[in-house]
Amino acid sequence: MEAEEDLIAAAQQIVRALESKMNLTDDGRKILANLGSQLSNITRVSESQDEEFEEEEEKEVGHSEIEQQLDKIQDKVMNWENDQSVMIWDCGPEEGYDYIKAVDEARRLIEILENRSSDNSSEDVVLLHRAHDILQTAMARLEEEFKHLLVQNKQPFEPEHMSFRSTEDDIIEAGSVISSGDDSLEDVIQRDSMGRTSGEYIVELVNQDVIQDLKSIANLMFDSSYGRECSQVFVNVQKDALDDCLYILEVEKLSIEDVLKMEWNALNSKIRRWIRVMKVFVRVYLASEKLLTDQIFGELGSVSSVCFAESSKSAMLQLLNFSEAISIGPHQPEKLMRILDMYEVLEGLIPDIMSLYSDEAGSGVRTECQDVLQRLGDCAKTTFLEFENAVASNVSNNAFPGGGVHPLTRYVMNYIKALMDYRKTLNIVLKDRDHEDDLVSVSVSPNMSPVSEEENPRGSSCSSPMAIRLQSLISILESNLDGKSKLYKEESLQHLFLMNNIHYMAEKVKGSDLRTVLGDDWIRKHNWKFQQHAMNYERATWSSILALLRDDGFQNPGSNSISRVLKERLQSFYLAFEEVYKSQTGWSIPDPQLRDDLRISTSLKVIQAYRTYVGRHTNHISEKHIKYSADDLEDYLLDLFEGSQKSLHGGHKK
């Protein structure tokens, strides 16, 4: 019978191969179709005959024969039952095969007895009870054997392709704009340099030599209506294995309360570990766990997906609960990039998770993943808006010494520069679906109106949610800086301060990917702004001083009073210059090029006016009244803006 079936199956394969590989005529296709149909009919007839044969066989088996078979099975089962110190499969696969064969025979005998006519004899009932007792004893033993095979053949999980050891604490973290004063803000916010992708690996969680034995036990237990016991053993053992995996990956079991009470440095370390673990856990361990489950339960329909979901759900929820705790914690600005890292990792893993938990049994995990992703996105958006509020509310009581680049400016510009790595994600999480149209047209500030489509430069995306929010944030920063500039008493220092800070902002945008978001027009506007402040500085500092070197006010050029007036004006100029030197050598322009440009611009105006004045009145001013030469003054102007106050020591020449 088996030989006939093999021949029929081979013939059907030949027919299918011919149909797929040959260019047949219509008549040829009809012939092959008829042949295939005839082979199918033969197969159905053969299957029908097999079923009839089995039914006849069941009818013909007598009580004595069944009893003899049960005696043999019981002897084998009880022999092993009486020797609990030795596991069957430890004695070799042949022993295991013989045991499986005997227990399967008991199951078949139960089916024969149960399928007899309704007027079963008392002998049949007795035999049926006996067979059930034998099967129950055997199932309990197989349950233990199944567990033993899983545990003893577990392969060590060593994710050598990933590094989880202590480099993660060696990173510079930014201070908090909210909780820290100006001086504690960091200049640079560094993003973790970890890779965003992890290769997909399948590892053997259980020795492949015993997979077929595990599969045989599972199939027999399910066929014998002991599937729940078998699957429960698998779930329990693999739950423990998953816990061991997380332990190897150094993941602690933390409650939401534990996470919320954690200090930022410790929490930051946990987040970085979560990011690394999440990728290897899903793409390596869970993928391997799913394969193992399919190998054992793959022929049992939905059993495989149910066992996988039940065994892995606890570990997955442990990881997801951590990210949920992060999403409901305080929305401190320094957390934003870590939250975005978590969002990107989880978003990248969603397809893997959806594939692993594709059936109804995994719907809870799928839903939780989507919910946590949404909560992380909402948290990122709220944290960004809180950052705007923090910048707006960063109040200084004292003017920043020297008028240089304020720490808040450095912090904000480096912060948003670092955010450029997340532009795609930020455009997703910052998108307000209810007010999307309003965002594009809204005026973010009197000082910073959005760029129109006509002004939008090539490569800019100023209508994106991220661009709108960055423009708003920079506008808030400018407004804050404008308020800080009012803390200076000198108008010229107010302009120098704003020149420094706006120049710093423009250079940060120009030299980074921010340019593609804010656009060249934004850079042009801010270049113009800091240049205006430079001109206003010169006007506020030097206009009244250079006015002393003008010739207006002389009513009688030939009078003897000209010499006296000229000398008085010259002495007033020297005093004013010395005062500027004394104060403005302590002022700061951190950018070397900007410092040189302003010195040159100032020198051209001052030295030219001074040379002209002295040269024009050389006949009325004696050499002893010339306190500084033009070269002296030019050298002194080179000392300005170094941030270290100096004086001219009574006006002695160099």
Side-chain angles (χ1 to χ4, degrees):
M1 185 64 70
E2 291 181 0
E4 292 177 1
E5 291 176 354
D6 291 341
L7 288 173
I8 293 170
Q12 289 175 326
Q13 289 179 353
I14 293 170
V15 169
R16 286 194 292 271
L18 289 171
E19 287 177 334
S20 62
K21 300 202 179 271
M22 295 180 62
N23 296 321
L24 299 173
T25 62
D26 290 341
D27 290 340
R29 289 193 185 92
K30 289 179 182 178
I31 293 170
L32 284 176
N34 290 333
L35 179 57
S37 176
Q38 291 174 15
L39 289 170
S40 297
N41 289 335
I42 293 171
T43 302
R44 285 193 290 271
V45 170
S46 176
E47 290 174 350
S48 176
Q49 290 174 345
D50 288 344
E51 292 173 0
E52 291 175 1
F53 177 78
E54 288 175 1
E55 291 175 0
E56 289 297 324
E57 184 183 28
E58 290 175 4
K59 292 178 182 178
E60 293 172 0
V61 177
H63 298 298
S64 60
E65 186 177 350
I66 293 177
E67 189 170 8
Q68 289 174 4
Q69 289 175 320
L70 284 177
D71 287 340
K72 292 179 182 179
I73 296 168
Q74 187 172 17
D75 287 342
K76 178 171 280 294
V77 169
M78 295 313 296
N79 281 339
W80 284 109
E81 194 66 18
N82 293 329
D83 189 3
Q84 294 288 336
S85 62
V86 180
M87 302 304 290
I88 300 172
W89 268 265
D90 286 349
C91 298
E94 295 80 9
E95 290 290 345
Y97 173 76
D98 288 343
Y99 192 84
I100 286 282
K101 186 177 179 182
V103 177
D104 189 47
E105 180 65 16
R107 180 195 62 79
R108 191 183 71 83
L109 291 175
I110 289 173
E111 288 182 354
I112 292 173
L113 291 169
E114 288 178 341
N115 288 334
R116 296 219 195 229
S117 60
S118 57
D119 56 342
N120 283 340
S121 64
S122 59
E123 291 89 346
D124 281 353
V125 173
V126 171
L127 289 175
L128 183 59
H129 283 305
R130 182 184 174 196
H132 274 299
D133 290 341
I134 295 171
L135 186 66
Q136 184 176 3
T137 301
M139 287 295 118
R141 181 57 184 254
L142 286 176
E143 187 177 330
E144 290 299 318
E145 294 287 337
F146 188 81
K147 179 179 179 180
H148 179 75
L149 284 172
L150 276 176
V151 172
Q152 292 302 313
N153 290 278
K154 176 185 173 183
Q155 300 290 87
F157 180 60
E158 298 174 353
E160 292 152 347
H161 49 282
M162 298 288 287
S163 175
F164 295 95
R165 300 286 172 180
S166 64
T167 57
E168 59 199 44
D169 295 323
D170 305 326
I171 191 162
I172 299 172
E173 294 298 336
S176 169
V177 184
I178 298 175
S179 60
S180 303
D182 291 343
D183 294 339
S184 68
L185 301 178
E186 297 288 347
D187 288 354
V188 179
I189 300 173
Q190 295 185 350
R191 185 184 181 189
D192 186 4
S193 60
M194 66 192 169
R196 292 196 187 184
T197 59
S198 174
E200 294 186 13
Y201 300 86
I202 297 295
V203 295
E204 293 181 0
L205 302 181
V206 172
N207 190 327
Q208 293 297 293
D209 293 341
V210 300
I211 293 296
Q212 187 57 47
D213 297 325
L214 290 166
K215 180 179 178 181
S216 298
I217 295 173
N219 287 342
L220 178 55
M221 291 187 73
F222 272 86
D223 287 345
S224 305
S225 301
Y226 283 81
R228 185 178 63 82
E229 289 80 356
C230 179
S231 58
Q232 193 59 53
V233 167
F234 179 86
V235 168
N236 292 339
V237 170
Q238 293 310 112
K239 269 186 179 179
D240 291 341
L242 285 163
D243 287 342
D244 290 343
C245 170
L246 293 181
Y247 177 79
I248 292 169
L249 300 178
E250 299 179 14
V251 176
E252 298 178 55
K253 286 189 176 181
L254 299 170
S255 67
I256 290 178
E257 291 75 17
D258 292 334
V259 175
L260 294 178
K261 289 187 291 187
M262 202 172 292
E263 293 294 330
W264 167 239
N265 285 340
L267 184 59
N268 178 42
S269 177
K270 301 295 183 205
I271 293 174
R272 287 162 51 79
R273 183 170 299 282
W274 182 94
I275 289 166
R276 290 188 173 119
V277 165
M278 200 64 187
K279 288 185 283 189
V280 71
F281 185 75
V282 171
R283 289 183 174 154
V284 180
Y285 200 96
L286 285 189
S288 302
E289 179 72 20
K290 185 68 165 67
L291 177 62
L292 174 64
T293 313
D294 288 342
Q295 286 176 325
I296 297 173
F297 300 106
E299 296 179 359
L300 300 171
S302 63
V303 172
S304 177
S305 59
V306 172
C307 287
F308 172 75
E310 288 300 315
S311 63
S312 62
K313 181 168 61 176
S314 176
M316 272 298 292
L317 292 181
Q318 178 184 337
L319 291 169
L320 292 174
N321 283 342
F322 176 80
S323 54
E324 181 179 2
I326 297 298
S327 71
I328 63 178
H331 301 114
Q332 296 160 326
E334 63 267 26
K335 292 183 180 179
L336 179 57
M337 288 160 209
R338 288 288 175 261
I339 295 167
L340 291 171
D341 281 332
M342 295 180 76
Y343 182 96
E344 288 185 351
V345 167
L346 186 55
E347 183 189 38
L349 291 174
I350 287 290
D352 301 85
I353 293 169
M354 293 298 151
S355 175
L356 290 169
Y357 297 93
S358 58
D359 294 331
E360 179 63 26
S363 61
V365 175
R366 295 198 308 270
T367 301
E368 184 64 18
C369 284
Q370 294 285 10
D371 289 346
V372 169
L373 184 68
Q374 180 64 46
R375 285 192 286 270
L376 284 172
D378 293 342
C379 177
K381 180 177 181 179
T382 302
T383 303
F384 186 93
L385 298 180
E386 285 294 324
F387 181 60
E388 287 186 352
N389 294 335
V391 173
S393 61
N394 183 273
V395 178
S396 299
N397 296 321
N398 300 309
F400 181 63
V405 178
H406 198 281
L408 180 66
T409 307
R410 295 182 186 275
Y411 184 95
V412 172
M413 295 309 298
N414 282 288
Y415 191 96
I416 64 176
K417 180 183 175 183
L419 288 178
M420 289 306 297
D421 285 342
Y422 304 91
R423 71 184 81 178
K424 180 180 176 181
T425 302
L426 277 172
N427 276 324
I428 295 172
V429 302
L430 293 176
K431 189 173 184 179
D432 189 340
R433 299 185 184 277
D434 296 330
H435 303 91
E436 186 176 349
D437 296 335
D438 297 336
L439 272 177
V440 177
S441 59
V442 69
S443 176
V444 296
S445 157
N447 298 325
M448 190 64 191
S449 59
V451 180
S452 66
E453 289 185 10
E454 292 77 12
E455 296 172 316
N456 189 18
R458 179 171 57 88
S460 173
S461 54
C462 287
S463 61
S464 70
M466 180 181 178
I468 296 296
R469 297 273 26 125
L470 289 186
Q471 289 193 30
S472 174
L473 176 59
I474 293 175
S475 178
I476 290 169
L477 173 61
E478 288 187 56
S479 178
N480 187 296
L481 293 171
D482 189 63
K484 283 177 167 51
S485 72
K486 301 297 191 294
L487 297 172
Y488 298 105
K489 295 179 180 179
E490 303 94 335
E491 180 187 355
S492 55
L493 186 51
Q494 293 177 11
H495 289 297
L496 188 83
F497 173 77
L498 291 173
M499 175 200 73
N500 275 325
N501 284 272
I502 294 175
H503 176 266
Y504 180 87
M505 293 160 63
E507 289 299 302
K508 276 291 178 183
V509 173
K510 189 189 305 183
S512 70
D513 289 341
L514 282 167
R515 184 172 197 151
T516 64
V517 174
L518 298 175
D520 290 341
D521 185 73
W522 186 97
I523 295 173
R524 284 193 294 271
K525 286 181 178 180
H526 283 73
N527 282 341
W528 178 85
K529 280 187 179 183
F530 82 75
Q531 289 165 4
Q532 284 296 113
H533 284 297
M535 292 172 57
N536 290 337
Y537 153 79
E538 289 182 345
R539 188 178 297 113
T541 301
W542 296 105
S543 291
S544 60
I545 297 175
L546 295 181
L548 296 170
L549 302 180
R550 289 201 293 264
D551 290 339
D552 54 322
F554 294 117
Q555 299 298 325
N556 186 0
S559 73
N560 292 330
S561 64
I562 292 178
S563 179
R564 178 177 54 82
V565 172
L566 290 173
K567 286 186 290 184
E568 288 176 353
R569 289 189 175 182
L570 190 59
Q571 293 306 311
S572 296
F573 169 80
Y574 290 146
L575 288 173
F577 184 92
E578 289 169 0
E579 186 61 32
V580 168
Y581 182 89
K582 181 180 179 180
S583 61
Q584 296 195 14
T585 50
W587 296 1
S588 175
I589 301 179
D591 185 84
Q593 186 61 52
L594 182 61
R595 184 169 61 241
D596 288 345
D597 288 346
L598 190 58
R599 284 170 175 172
I600 291 169
S601 176
T602 299
S603 181
L604 287 173
K605 294 179 177 65
V606 173
I607 302 306
Q608 182 179 358
Y610 181 73
R611 287 184 192 276
T612 301
Y613 183 84
V614 172
R616 189 164 55 242
H617 300 295
T618 186
N619 295 330
H620 298 282
I621 302 175
S622 65
E623 181 68 21
K624 66 180 181 179
H625 294 115
I626 304 297
K627 194 172 185 180
Y628 304 110
S629 69
D631 290 341
D632 290 334
L633 295 180
E634 192 168 9
D635 288 340
Y636 290 139
L637 288 173
L638 294 179
D639 292 337
L640 301 184
F641 317 128
E642 291 286 355
S644 178
Q645 193 175 50
K646 301 177 182 178
S647 65
L648 291 176
H649 305 296
H652 297 294
K653 297 179 184 179
K654 288 187 176 181

